[in-house]
Amino acid sequence: MSTSSTTTNVAVPPSPAFSAGAHVPSMDAYESQWKRSIDDPEGYWGEVAADSHFFKKWDRVLEWKLPFAKWFAGAETNVSYNCLDFQIENGRGDHPAIIWEGEPVNDDGTPKDTLTLSYRQLHARVCQFANALKKQGIQKNDRVTIYMPMVPELAIAMLACARIGAPHSVIFGGFSGQAIADRLVDADSRHIITTDGGWRRGKVIPLKQNVDEACKLVDGKVDKVIVLKRCENEIQWEADRDVWWHEAIDGMSEDCPAERLDAEHMLFLLYTSGSTGKPKGILHTTAGYMIYTRHTAKHVFDLKPDDVYWCTADIGWITGHSYIVYGPLQNGVTNVMYEGGPNYPDWERFWQICDRYKVTKFYTAPTAIRAFMKQGAELPKKHDLSNLKLLGTVGEPINPAAWNWYDENIGGGRCPIVDTWWQTETGGIMITPLPGATPTKPGSATRPFFGIDPAVVDASGAPVPPNESGLLVIRKPWPGMLRGIYGDEARYRKQYWTEIDGCYFTGDGARCDEDGYFWIIGRVDDVIKVSGHRLGTAEIESALVSHPKVAEAAVIGYPDEMTGEAIAAFVTLKSGFEVDESLKQELKQHVGSTLGAIAKPKDVRFTDALPKTRSGKIMRRLLRELATTGHVKGDITTLEDLTTIATLNSEAS
Ligand code: WT7
């Protein structure tokens, strides 16, 4: 997706009022700290880490043997301790940590279910659940799968795992039973935490049912399923495997000392899509991730003790891990958490929530902003958004029109906007404005965070001149970086460290302008971003060919006004099967049940053959062109079968 055609290069500085009170109040302050962080990373990060709690100090800030980093080697710490105990020690015990509201509403529009937990109360619940986990046989190093809606118990479960040193693997509630099964097997995880269901757009999502299906698929490999009661819906029960959350915590002590964990102890796995094969388990460890999320959250959102911070992401994605759970809690702020859809019961829900809890910092995705834009500026106007001080965006390039709409209609023209570029792999925000310092240009993620050394290079690794597009790489290790792909060192090396010699390869295309501002163009591999959700074309293709009528399938992303990119599938059928409209629906449904609703193609097209090069590679460029413009021009001389394109062209018109 290109953002360049409608952008201006005029940078607007933050208001003097915002800068005056900000952690980083000027570009000079930013430049000098950034330079220091690059020239002396060990000195810089050592000083930053001194503000966190360690049971034992590190021997060395960084040990770097490309592509393997050890940050704070030799140290012992615990992320759950830093999010909870350390906050209480610092006088934050009675401060609200989480303000939650569920989706269902009463007749007068107020939420049916709400819960506020102070840091002390959250601590007690985490300890109690951590003891319950131990009682259920979960030990340090056991991978625990978590598949839950956005309820406080999701954060409690993660913090309880972190407390006892059991790495969590959170799976987004939109994924199917098959997707859960694949992740269970890859992580060799024998324990699942789930709920009977979750509310989404007025309906119950049958989470427990999906877990049951996954358990069946992995055939007896799951020892325990802990089930939180959320929806009062009917579920199946396996008495020797399933245990209710409320029964598991019954009688458990609210005291559970945090394990002293090695700095490089595995904190979590988070599965994400790559260009080939099945999703990969991105591995993050303890101390580096902890320091990086704390430090980025503080500076990017300019967090202050009284902030009421709301990130609308789902915790099933990295954004929720880093900027709902671990980053904000380490900063002792109040987190707003909401269970359901932005349009339930109507499109005012988000603005009601901002108004009700006096939200000061708000972080969402471009897709959501575009959806709000479509509903009109009247809706946010009906609510008091005057407490907002800062707005953030993440997940995909933001088009300047959406940026400007967000600025005017949500931020009232007075809030800095932070367009934050990062990835599941990076653990935290990498390229971003610092709100009190960086003049912003709509559509640009602007400048690197402290300690981050990005560059735009060509295929040989040579930096390209300003304003020319190339590949985005990171030239130095950083504390929040992934430590590997779980169980697959070769893929880790190949995916991230061999494309451009000596650098971390992001998979994104970008350009850098004459002011050193980065403009992210989008993925250069076969990863697509649909509503900010990351999907691999290969996994959707294999879902399609698992349908009995499908012979071959090619999936591409094409630009979509609302969702950024949309999925188009080109399908050939096995002989003897007829093309008809109902089969299109059937195939969309099939992808939905194999992977999850977020992976359903918007457009399915049938063709006699797929355009291929002589060596048998599918010519995706042609398919993308076809899906985007409706026809194909340009060089097709290497096509195996020119008639394919003729068929596709006539199909499209
Ligand atoms: C991909 C990573 C980072 C949390 C959510 C996504 C795209 C992310 C931006 C942005 C343009 C962005 C990139 C990246 N992306 N943020 N501000 N501007 N593109 O994490 O699911 O791992 O996806 O999202 O293409 O590679 P993810």
Side-chain angles (χ1 to χ4, degrees):
M1 214 176 80
S2 170
T3 50
S4 54
S5 55
T6 46
T7 53
T8 64
N9 209 23
V10 182
V12 182
S15 73
F18 191 97
S19 296
H23 292 303
V24 183
S26 68
M27 235 14 207
D28 283 348
Y30 162 76
E31 301 272 10
S32 66
Q33 274 192 67
W34 183 77
K35 190 169 181 310
R36 156 102 213 280
S37 70
I38 295 297
D39 293 346
D40 175 20
E42 293 199 50
Y44 179 80
W45 289 111
E47 267 165 40
V48 170
D51 290 341
S52 283
H53 175 272
F54 284 83
F55 295 111
K56 176 173 172 272
K57 209 186 157 181
W58 51 90
D59 304 320
R60 184 87 206 263
V61 171
L62 173 63
E63 280 174 19
W64 178 227
K65 290 193 192 91
L66 190 140
F68 299 107
K70 282 189 181 160
W71 283 91
F72 309 104
E76 285 175 4
T77 185
N78 185 297
V79 189
S80 177
Y81 189 101
N82 274 274
C83 291
L84 302 167
D85 311 53
F86 193 50
Q87 303 306 320
I88 298 169
E89 284 163 24
N90 289 331
R92 308 290 287 163
D94 297 320
H95 195 76
I98 294 178
I99 299 179
W100 172 79
E101 77 175 53
E103 189 188 77
V105 288
N106 298 309
D107 291 341
D108 65 356
T110 55
K112 273 205 174 104
D113 311 303
T114 57
L115 180 70
T116 299
L117 293 172
S118 67
Y119 276 87
R120 205 184 308 285
Q121 290 165 326
L122 182 60
H123 176 265
R125 294 215 184 187
V126 167
C127 287
Q128 190 183 43
F129 191 62
N131 284 325
L133 291 177
K134 290 199 248 182
K135 182 86 184 291
Q136 296 300 321
I138 296 167
Q139 297 175 349
K140 185 174 166 183
N141 293 317
D142 288 346
R143 274 87 51 218
V144 178
T145 298
I146 303 180
Y147 181 69
M148 294 173 88
M150 287 286 288
V151 290
E153 287 82 356
L154 168 52
I156 291 169
M158 292 164 74
L159 291 161
C161 287
R163 201 162 185 88
I164 65 171
H168 52 71
S169 165
V170 180
I171 301 176
F172 173 59
F175 283 117
S176 67
Q178 177 68 56
I180 303 169
D182 291 344
R183 288 157 175 77
L184 279 170
V185 170
D186 189 85
D188 192 16
S189 165
R190 311 185 73 90
H191 302 93
I192 307 180
I193 305 169
T194 190
T195 66
D196 53 352
W199 290 100
R200 188 85 194 170
R201 303 207 166 111
K203 285 202 207 107
V204 172
I205 309 284
L207 298 177
K208 172 66 163 61
Q209 193 183 312
N210 294 345
V211 166
D212 289 341
E213 196 189 315
C215 289
K216 206 180 283 162
L217 289 166
V218 302
D219 196 20
K221 286 212 180 66
V222 174
D223 293 340
K224 275 278 171 297
V225 179
I226 301 177
V227 188
L228 178 82
K229 191 173 261 182
R230 164 75 188 115
C231 297
E232 304 286 342
N233 60 327
E234 235 177 78
I235 54 170
Q236 307 264 324
W237 200 257
E238 287 266 342
D240 47 359
R241 185 196 69 196
D242 299 347
V243 43
W244 284 112
W245 175 297
H246 57 267
E247 287 173 7
I249 60 172
D250 191 36
M252 291 291 139
S253 156
E254 292 181 355
D255 180 30
C256 174
E259 282 283 323
R260 296 169 65 124
L261 299 173
D262 184 84
E264 288 297 336
H265 185 79
M266 193 200 308
L267 177 64
F268 65 85
L269 293 175
L270 184 58
Y271 283 83
T272 191
S273 301
S275 44
T276 52
K278 294 221 154 119
K280 45 196 180 183
I282 301 301
L283 195 163
H284 283 287
T285 59
T286 296
Y289 176 84
M290 176 176 98
I291 298 305
Y292 197 69
T293 51
R294 192 204 83 207
H295 199 54
T296 45
K298 174 178 171 178
H299 286 95
V300 176
F301 304 113
D302 198 47
L303 294 180
K304 304 286 168 54
D306 290 329
D307 269 323
V308 179
Y309 164 92
W310 183 22
C311 166
T312 71
D314 193 289
I315 291 178
W317 309 108
I318 190 70
T319 309
H321 281 58
S322 301
Y323 299 110
I324 298 178
V325 181
Y326 293 118
L329 293 179
Q330 283 188 81
N331 281 282
V333 299
T334 298
N335 245 316
V336 170
M337 194 175 162
Y338 168 57
E339 177 185 32
N343 55 347
Y344 188 87
D346 54 46
W347 283 99
E348 286 173 53
R349 187 66 183 261
F350 273 22
W351 317 129
Q352 275 164 357
I353 294 175
C354 285
D355 189 347
R356 189 154 36 238
Y357 305 113
K358 301 191 167 33
V359 170
T360 57
K361 310 278 165 78
F362 180 74
Y363 191 31
T364 197
T367 291
I369 299 165
R370 289 191 292 265
F372 292 128
M373 230 172 129
K374 196 172 161 203
Q375 301 305 316
E378 292 315 307
L379 300 185
K381 278 203 183 74
K382 287 158 71 179
H383 303 274
D384 180 3
L385 303 179
S386 64
N387 289 291
L388 286 172
K389 292 196 178 106
L390 173 147
L391 305 174
T393 139
V394 62
E396 51 183 321
I398 180 164
N399 47 312
W403 197 105
N404 287 320
W405 188 91
Y406 196 31
D407 177 31
E408 280 161 34
N409 297 289
I410 307 303
R414 68 175 188 279
C415 300
I417 294 184
V418 290
D419 173 0
T420 61
W421 175 87
W422 58 297
Q423 310 177 298
T424 304
E425 291 89 340
T426 68
I429 294 166
M430 302 286 280
I431 301 181
T432 176
L434 291 185
T438 317
T440 46
K441 303 180 188 183
S444 171
T446 77
R447 305 282 300 267
F449 189 72
F450 301 131
I452 304 306
D453 185 21
V456 178
V457 300
D458 65 20
S460 76
V464 302
N467 289 315
E468 271 181 34
S469 56
L471 305 172
L472 180 64
V473 297
I474 312 293
R475 295 184 287 202
K476 277 188 160 53
W478 65 100
M481 67 189 277
L482 78 164
R483 300 300 196 268
I485 294 176
Y486 189 66
D488 200 344
E489 190 185 311
R491 192 171 175 194
Y492 171 65
R493 287 180 187 275
K494 183 163 184 299
Q495 184 72 46
Y496 303 110
W497 302 97
T498 50
E499 195 82 18
I500 304 296
D501 200 33
C503 294
Y504 168 82
F505 175 58
T506 64
D508 276 323
R511 64 190 175 85
C512 185
D513 70 17
E514 57 283 353
D515 298 327
Y517 277 49
F518 287 84
W519 300 77
I520 309 298
I521 298 166
R523 302 289 308 195
V524 296
D525 52 10
D526 294 322
V527 168
I528 52 183
K529 301 282 317 208
V530 183
S531 297
H533 297 151
R534 176 166 162 182
L535 295 160
T537 54
E539 45 181 332
I540 305 172
E541 286 164 3
S542 57
L544 283 165
V545 297
S546 74
H547 188 281
K549 294 182 185 168
V550 173
E552 232 187 342
V555 166
I556 49 116
Y558 65 100
D560 182 277
E561 227 181 279
M562 291 305 288
T563 58
E565 280 187 288
I567 305 168
F570 294 84
V571 172
T572 64
L573 296 181
K574 287 182 184 157
S575 62
F577 294 111
E578 296 279 310
V579 167
D580 67 54
E581 271 309 303
S582 71
L583 185 56
K584 284 191 180 176
Q585 284 314 318
E586 192 179 318
L587 292 181
K588 288 181 190 179
Q589 212 41 56
H590 179 73
V591 173
S593 56
T594 312
L595 292 173
I598 54 168
K600 278 190 195 171
K602 183 172 176 183
D603 191 6
V604 175
R605 298 188 190 193
F606 297 107
T607 167
D608 295 338
L610 292 170
K612 289 184 189 162
T613 61
R614 291 215 172 85
S615 62
K617 246 186 114 180
I618 292 172
M619 300 181 82
R620 291 167 186 284
R621 180 182 61 80
L622 294 187
L623 297 176
R624 215 169 287 130
E625 203 178 318
L626 187 64
T628 310
T629 65
H631 56 266
V632 171
K633 305 193 284 275
D635 178 22
I636 50 169
T637 48
T638 51
L639 271 185
E640 183 193 63
D641 180 2
L642 288 167
T643 58
T644 313
I645 277 301
T647 329
L648 286 165
N649 272 338
S650 60
E651 258 266 331
S653 53

